[in-house]
Amino acid sequence: MKKILITILAFVCIIIVGILFINMKQQETDVTKKQTKVGFILNGKIDDHSWGESHYNGMEISAQKLNLDVVYKEDVPEDETCTETIEALIADGCEIIICNSFGYGEWALKCAEAHPEIYFFHATGVEQRSNLATYFGRIYQMRYLSGIVAGMQTETNEIGYVAAFPIAEVNRGINAFTLGVRSVNPDATVYVKWSNSWTGEEENAETARELIRDHAIDVLAMHTNALSPLEIADENDIWTIGYNIDNSEQFPKTYLTAPVWNWERFYEPRILECLQGKFQGIHYWEGVETGIVDLAPFTGNVKSGIAEAVEKEQDRLMNGSFDVFYGSITDNEGNIRVKERQSMTDDSLLNDSFWYVEGVVIDEAE
């Protein structure tokens, strides 16, 4: 009798779950019958093979599934003039506005307050409202894994890193990358040089040239939207680690891998919530477990044994038994920043990453 009851209960549970699933799918279908217009503000191009294209790809996948009409505005200045573009999109019938760069923050906030009926999303932003959400992914997890690749690939123990600006997002990535490098190669040094530009090809190219000129670099990583650092490294037969999307086909001779984005993993569920009236004006910061961040497939340039080492660490990140900023961690001035068996809080990672871990050298050479 007991076995029969258990079987009946299990059967009932299966039926209930099935009904809930059918209802959920029906709700999704109902809200996507009407096409919804979305305005997307970019600080670059939708075909830049970088940051802009990663968002475009994710949004296009989401648009097909959710019946969205997406209006893209490219190369929008990150200043007060962007409000004109936002206002024009709203006047054109856009019910959701997405801004893909930190510099739009002040103006997105202003427009959100002026239009409480419109949903706003601001990538890499820090301020939220009832109709304004900010979002990013824990790309530092993939930076850490790519650092393991660099640390095992290098033979000179000198690794270059072209970075746009010394803001928390970039510094967090530098530290995570270096922690990955030093976890497998404690003798390696990461030389960082600022290009002071996200999209400027020449500024980023010159930064790469200077790093290569001043150090015995044999691996170059980057945190810019411009691809010119990869081009300069390729010209000099230096291994490269990209960013945003997989550009291995463009640089088959030198490319290793890249931390990459799968933005559809964010856009589809969040926009569906908008359509269902379930929007939340919070900060989203999602990690490897959601699939929003990933590591591009390794090319044939990656040395034997590296894939196995990275897979082991990625498994630890996936199952939650480890995260990158787990102590003890010492900075590059000899101070203990994270004590043994302690972790940095999310608040600290988002706002206090203005120091560098042991192994980082900020290159100020001209």
Side-chain angles (χ1 to χ4, degrees):
M1 179 62 71
K2 185 176 181 181
K3 288 183 179 181
I4 295 174
L5 288 173
I6 291 173
T7 302
I8 293 172
L9 286 172
F11 184 69
V12 170
C13 288
I14 291 171
I15 292 174
I16 292 172
V17 170
I19 292 171
L20 291 173
F21 179 77
I22 292 170
N23 288 340
M24 181 179 68
K25 288 298 179 182
Q26 183 62 49
Q27 288 176 6
E28 289 184 20
T29 303
D30 290 343
V31 297
T32 58
K33 284 180 179 178
K34 178 184 81 73
Q35 189 172 63
T36 301
K37 205 164 190 178
V38 177
F40 206 114
I41 306 285
L42 301 103
N43 66 339
K45 301 286 190 184
I46 62 174
D47 59 352
D48 61 1
H49 298 290
S50 191
W51 176 251
E53 191 166 331
S54 73
H55 286 274
Y56 174 78
N57 291 341
M59 180 52 67
E60 285 297 285
I61 293 171
S62 303
Q64 291 180 15
K65 293 184 177 181
L66 299 178
N67 192 19
L68 307 176
D69 175 16
V70 186
V71 182
Y72 298 95
K73 296 296 182 180
E74 303 171 272
D75 293 323
V76 177
E78 296 180 66
D79 57 32
E80 188 172 8
T81 62
C82 74
T83 60
E84 299 172 8
T85 305
I86 294 173
E87 292 289 347
L89 287 168
I90 294 173
D92 192 36
C94 291
E95 300 175 44
I96 300 170
I97 300 293
I98 301 172
C99 302
N100 86 329
S101 187
F102 177 84
Y104 297 125
E106 179 181 352
W107 319 113
L109 187 64
K110 178 180 178 181
C111 290
E113 291 175 340
H115 296 279
E117 77 284 4
I118 304 296
Y119 296 123
F120 285 79
F121 291 93
H122 178 209
T124 76
V126 295
E127 288 194 66
Q128 303 84 41
R129 292 294 186 270
S130 60
N131 64 325
L132 168 62
T134 55
Y135 65 101
F136 200 47
R138 295 180 187 271
I139 198 71
Y140 69 83
Q141 295 174 330
M142 299 301 106
R143 294 274 185 199
Y144 173 80
L145 297 180
S146 69
I148 293 173
V149 176
M152 296 180 71
Q153 187 81 14
T154 182
E155 294 182 1
T156 66
N157 287 339
E158 296 194 13
I159 298 165
Y161 200 110
V162 177
F165 297 99
I167 61 175
E169 171 197 339
V170 178
N171 291 341
R172 186 170 60 242
I174 291 167
N175 284 340
F177 177 81
T178 306
L179 287 171
V181 168
R182 303 271 290 192
S183 72
V184 293
N185 187 348
D187 296 325
T189 299
V190 177
Y191 292 95
V192 177
K193 194 168 183 65
W194 310 111
S195 67
N196 297 309
S197 174
W198 287 113
T199 58
E201 295 292 348
E202 183 50 41
E203 294 93 327
N204 283 287
E206 183 57 27
T207 303
R209 291 189 193 102
E210 291 173 0
L211 280 169
I212 293 168
R213 180 196 67 198
D214 296 336
H215 306 285
I217 288 166
D218 62 351
V219 181
L220 184 75
M222 56 180 281
H223 193 155
T224 75
N225 299 350
L227 298 187
S228 53
L230 302 179
E231 296 169 358
I232 298 303
D234 195 63
E235 292 171 5
N236 288 272
D237 295 324
I238 290 171
W239 305 120
T240 56
I241 293 174
Y243 181 41
N244 291 315
I245 68 173
D246 183 3
N247 282 296
S248 56
E249 291 186 2
Q250 292 193 55
F251 307 100
K253 183 177 65 171
T254 54
Y255 207 82
L256 300 174
T257 185
V260 296
W261 297 99
N262 299 311
W263 284 115
E264 65 275 11
R265 297 296 185 93
F266 177 80
Y267 288 133
E268 185 180 344
R270 299 292 83 81
I271 292 176
L272 179 60
E273 288 173 352
C274 292
L275 303 183
Q276 295 172 331
K278 298 178 181 178
F279 175 90
Q280 297 183 74
I282 62 175
H283 180 70
Y284 294 92
W285 201 23
E286 300 175 353
V288 63
E289 72 284 351
T290 69
I292 191 175
V293 295
D294 203 353
L295 201 62
F298 293 155
T299 68
N301 299 320
V302 174
K303 287 181 179 179
S304 175
I306 292 178
E308 292 78 8
V310 170
E311 183 179 3
K312 180 180 177 181
E313 289 300 281
Q314 189 162 8
D315 287 344
R316 291 210 297 157
L317 288 168
M318 284 289 291
N319 65 32
S321 63
F322 167 75
D323 201 8
V324 175
F325 293 96
Y326 183 73
S328 64
I329 298 175
T330 303
D331 68 19
N332 61 357
E333 295 180 351
N335 305 303
I336 296 177
R337 291 287 185 163
V338 184
K339 295 180 180 179
E340 190 171 357
R341 297 187 180 182
Q342 292 187 8
S343 292
M344 289 185 69
T345 65
D346 280 353
D347 183 66
S348 293
L349 286 172
L350 288 166
N351 301 303
D352 301 334
S353 300
F354 293 98
W355 50 272
Y356 303 99
V357 300
E358 186 177 18
V360 174
V361 173
I362 304 298
D363 191 341
E364 304 291 351
E366 298 296 332

